[in-house]
Amino acid sequence: MNRNLSALADRYFDVLVVGGGIFGAGVARDAALRGLRVALVDKSDFASGTSSASSKLIHGGFRYLEQRRFGFVAESCRERHILQRIAPHLVRPVPFLLPVYDGGSHTLLQMRAGMTLYDLLARYRNTARHQSLSSKRALAKEPALRPQGLRGAILFYDCQEDDARFCLDNIIHAAESGAVCANYCELTGFVTRENRIVAARVADRLSHESFEITARVYVNATGPWVRRVADLTPFDGERVALSPTKGVHLVLPRLTQEAGIFFQARRDGRMLFVIPWGEYSLVGTTDTDFRGGPDDVYTAPADIEYLFSELRLLMPEAPVNESDIITTFAGIRPLLHSDAPSPSRRSREHRVIRQGQNLLTIAGGKYTTYRTIAEEAVDEIYPLLEARRAPCRTADTPLPQHRPPLSGTRISDAPAVCTSDVAHACEYEMAMTVSDVMRRRTSLALSRYGGPDTAETVAKFMAPLRGWNGGQMLWHLQQYLDEWKRNLP
């Protein structure tokens, strides 16, 4: 996959996708597999926004059962099953415990009934059916749980994935299928005629050159930035309205033996989790109103205090405190506008909105259902092309594995990263900055190896591959370190 900007400027495309997060990646892959001429651009790196700051789960959303959104749960379970089938190297089953305590909002019997419905909506295609555990068996599986008041637990399965890698592999497969994709290309405006877009103005943020991309249809898949992109057009009609929320996660030393744990927060009743992540644990996630700019999201002290206070109630003997936080990450959920009283009760559903004659905007949605959201969007492209719709192939086409075998000098042990990974990222995965490698081509930034020593090693190895002189290398290194420091507690 090469960053060929001349191909973007010189060709006429059926569709230009703006946004290289998971929705844009899904649309580009789907459209390219159907034989359309596809271009994709992102103002930063692929997956650099919400799509590398999710909870890293592909899940059926059992908590939506309480809201009686049974169709949404069934759809999520179906998509989870599809993604396990087409990308088993990326979507892996993980056991979860759902402990039930005295004084909680649900009894163990109610949880059993809910999980029976969850299995039914998944058409019993879960990794295994849920089990009901006594308090003794639950503590045997996860001794760190608070034993006082524990009535028992539900054992069930969902799936985990590396969100940045999953998004990137969709981009790479789109490129292998004929799409022309480029990161660090920022949309600055549209050329419109009457009620139609005829070209997109794009600025290369690396060379500072500008050019135009012409296409017949344009797809706005920019997540939290969809309103900003939509407002670049003069079109009347329906506008994009979001009610975004912020989700914060902590990376801590490993807290559980094997399973993840979903648990109910004492403070506000929302569902939190402790998830195994290699030799670490992810603790999250907050769900609070966000009214700032999507380029300026960070973990606040109040977020850490909230998560740690709930963690101490769940695992009072866990040998961790706030000084043990390895790093944090925060992302924005671009949720559809809602008057729901609680952010956690806002819909995770989506809409594909048509603006003008040839602009489609994807608003809302969640990672697990990205493939079916992309399918709907590409189906909507064909009437605008006045062409017969080709069938979607993404549910049956495997997502290729692109990471090369480890070779060369070992950079870190956990995660296992070698110089071959850095070289492959630069030569075949369009890694243009130190942050691209540390945070999205590998998961070094979410480990003990995310600091200055490893980053400097990566920067020095990247320099000849990217043609940086000494000053440019130091600049890229500092850009990453500034970002890394912002994520420290």
Side-chain angles (χ1 to χ4, degrees):
M1 182 173 67
N2 298 314
R3 193 170 180 271
N4 187 353
L5 302 190
S6 62
L8 288 173
D10 296 342
R11 298 183 190 176
Y12 183 56
F13 296 95
D14 293 314
V15 56
L16 169 63
V17 181
V18 182
I22 190 60
F23 295 148
V27 170
R29 177 175 182 256
D30 188 328
L33 285 172
R34 299 198 208 191
L36 296 179
R37 296 169 296 177
V38 180
L40 179 146
V41 295
D42 193 287
K43 74 182 185 68
S44 188
D45 188 28
F46 308 124
S48 59
T50 305
S51 296
S52 59
S54 76
S55 297
K56 310 189 189 307
L57 295 175
I58 299 295
H59 63 98
F62 75 90
R63 70 185 183 90
Y64 302 121
L65 293 176
E66 188 176 16
Q67 302 172 23
R68 300 187 178 185
R69 293 163 59 194
F70 304 130
F72 188 54
V73 174
E75 178 187 53
S76 298
C77 289
R78 182 198 71 209
E79 288 301 306
R80 181 187 60 192
H81 181 69
I82 290 172
L83 299 184
Q84 281 185 271
R85 188 177 68 241
I86 68 172
H89 59 292
L90 292 172
V91 182
R92 299 183 176 94
V94 175
F96 283 92
L97 283 182
L98 180 58
V100 178
Y101 284 93
D102 287 335
S105 60
H106 298 92
T107 66
L108 191 59
L109 181 62
Q110 288 172 324
M111 286 298 187
R112 289 173 186 163
M115 280 300 172
T116 298
L117 179 58
Y118 192 52
D119 287 339
L120 180 63
L121 290 171
R123 298 184 178 181
Y124 296 102
R125 293 180 298 193
N126 293 331
T127 301
R129 296 186 187 183
H130 79 277
Q131 299 178 42
S132 179
L133 306 182
S134 66
S135 59
K136 183 177 180 180
R137 290 181 64 197
L139 290 170
K141 280 191 170 293
E142 293 300 339
L145 287 171
R146 174 171 53 87
Q148 292 82 9
L150 180 62
R151 304 298 296 173
I154 303 295
L155 173 65
F156 69 101
Y157 283 82
D158 258 319
C159 290
Q160 188 174 56
E161 46 98 30
D162 182 334
D163 51 4
R165 170 52 56 178
F166 196 96
C167 179
L168 182 67
D169 279 0
N170 272 270
I171 294 277
I172 294 171
H173 196 210
E176 291 172 345
S177 303
V180 181
C181 305
N183 52 4
Y184 296 98
C185 287
E186 182 172 10
L187 177 76
T188 59
F190 290 111
V191 179
T192 60
R193 185 176 301 125
E194 296 179 346
N195 204 34
R196 185 177 186 84
I197 299 172
V198 296
R201 297 191 183 98
V202 174
D204 178 11
R205 296 179 67 184
L206 301 180
S207 69
H208 306 292
E209 297 179 356
S210 297
F211 56 96
E212 291 185 354
I213 303 175
T214 55
R216 298 172 67 188
V217 177
Y218 298 79
V219 176
N220 175 6
T222 54
W225 293 267
V226 290
R227 178 66 183 269
R228 188 177 298 178
V229 170
D231 285 347
L232 293 174
T233 73
F235 301 148
D236 296 326
E238 184 175 2
R239 308 304 291 176
V240 179
L242 300 180
S243 294
T245 67
K246 181 176 74 168
V248 167
H249 302 77
L250 312 180
V251 182
L252 289 166
R254 186 67 174 261
L255 296 169
T256 63
Q257 292 187 351
E258 178 186 3
I261 300 174
F262 273 105
F263 64 103
Q264 190 172 38
R266 290 286 190 91
R267 186 179 304 186
D268 54 14
R270 72 177 314 271
M271 297 305 295
L272 304 178
F273 56 72
V274 179
I275 305 177
W277 179 253
E279 68 174 41
Y280 311 103
S281 286
L282 303 183
V283 178
T285 175
T286 62
D287 200 5
T288 54
D289 284 312
F290 184 77
R291 295 183 175 85
D295 293 308
D296 190 32
V297 56
Y298 60 91
T299 301
D303 300 319
I304 295 175
E305 187 278 328
Y306 168 79
L307 291 174
F308 243 94
S309 66
E310 296 296 341
L311 179 64
R312 289 190 186 100
L313 290 171
L314 177 74
M315 298 178 165
E317 302 301 322
V320 292
N321 54 48
E322 294 183 12
S323 65
D324 294 306
I325 296 174
I326 295 163
T327 188
T328 73
F329 59 95
I332 302 300
R333 303 179 188 89
L335 305 181
L336 292 172
H337 177 70
S338 169
D339 295 323
S342 167
S344 296
R345 298 189 69 85
R346 288 177 190 161
S347 173
R348 267 57 175 173
E349 296 174 348
H350 74 281
R351 294 186 62 199
V352 178
I353 302 168
R354 177 176 168 181
Q355 296 170 291
Q357 292 186 19
N358 61 341
L359 174 64
L360 297 175
T361 294
I362 300 172
K366 69 171 188 170
Y367 207 117
T368 299
T369 55
Y370 89 94
R371 191 207 62 83
T372 191
I373 292 171
E375 179 180 352
E376 178 184 337
V378 177
D379 284 348
E380 292 289 331
I381 289 171
Y382 279 92
L384 305 183
L385 295 175
E386 298 181 349
R388 182 178 179 181
R389 186 174 71 194
C392 175
R393 296 173 52 200
T394 56
D396 301 309
T397 304
L399 189 64
Q401 186 171 359
H402 295 102
R403 190 170 181 180
L406 293 174
S407 63
T409 303
R410 181 70 70 108
I411 294 176
S412 74
D413 295 320
V417 177
C418 289
T419 52
S420 59
D421 293 297
V422 182
H424 184 84
C426 292
E427 294 172 10
Y428 301 106
E429 297 181 344
M430 220 177 289
M432 309 304 294
T433 72
V434 174
S435 186
D436 294 348
V437 171
M438 294 288 293
R439 194 162 290 278
R440 291 172 288 277
R441 305 310 183 275
T442 72
S443 56
L444 285 167
L446 300 184
S447 74
R448 299 183 189 278
Y449 299 92
D453 292 343
T454 304
E456 184 177 358
T457 299
V458 169
K460 287 180 177 178
F461 191 81
M462 289 183 69
L465 298 174
R466 292 268 65 100
W468 299 337
N469 59 33
Q472 290 171 322
M473 185 199 75
L474 290 175
W475 185 86
H476 280 284
L477 174 60
Q478 192 59 52
Q479 289 294 109
Y480 167 75
L481 291 178
D482 289 345
E483 178 184 332
W484 174 72
K485 290 175 184 175
R486 285 196 298 271
N487 289 305
L488 295 178

